Amino acid sequence: NRTLDVIFIWLGTAGQPAMVMALERGGLSQLKIAAREQASTFFLIGLPAAAGGALVARPLSEVLIGEELRVAATSVTPWIALSALLFGLTAYYFGQAFTLGRRTGWLLLAMSIPAGSNIVLNVLLIPRFGVMGAAWATAISFALGLTASMTIGRRILPLPVPWNALARCGLAAAVTLIAGTGLGGCVNGAEIRRPAGPGVSASGNAARSGLTLGFDSIPGSRTDACTIAKGYRARVLAPWGTPLKDRKSTRLNSSHP
């Protein structure tokens, strides 16, 4: 979540003064223009960043987390990324309605809602679901905080929501998640098979790691021939130089049996 926090801090540091200046010089009309640009930037950068954080949960855990906690860290990382996104939108955009509207007292109420709900949800979920319960409680609490800030903030100083930008960025993030998750279809197990180091056999290394490609790798060779993975077959589709309009050209089909 620190990575997303840094992104939102950077965006907020650049955008918040612009919103204040727009309100002072042009009133609400100019503020809405500046706020819409700010929100669009948040969506444009924040949504893909959160999706990317969810996608790299496994390799990130393998690099930074010990083996005993690695599985749990992989499971909670997507929820942490979602929580960081919700918190960033609340603190650095929708929460600005209280500051710009000079009603910061209401900010305490808006923030007390996620704080209180987080305590209650932790008490309810952690005993039953453990670390995943804590992750779910955090995400739900930040979602409630975002909803509270939007609802209460609209009564003080309504900030626009660029729904078109949200829809486009959300769709792009969803496609990224689906495509990235689909890449895992060629692997199985729990970890990537690593090259055997000095004094470590390849079979022992594979036994520890478990994640392998869905087919056996092809060893390097200087043989002047077509080499394919075991279980696959290859046929000629069009020899090099064959005219595309030649009906007598042979066909190639490379497929799994």
Side-chain angles (χ1 to χ4, degrees), residues 23-54:
L23 178 61
E24 291 179 346
R25 296 184 176 181
L28 292 177
S29 60
Q30 292 300 316
L31 172 63
K32 290 183 178 181
I33 296 175
R36 188 176 297 275
E37 294 178 354
Q38 175 78 344
S40 299
T41 304
F42 274 129
F43 294 144
L44 178 64
I45 299 178
L47 283 174

Side-chain angles (χ1 to χ4, degrees), residues 51-66:
L55 286 175
V56 299
R58 176 178 294 179
L60 192 64
S61 299
E62 291 182 352
V63 173
L64 301 178
I65 308 298

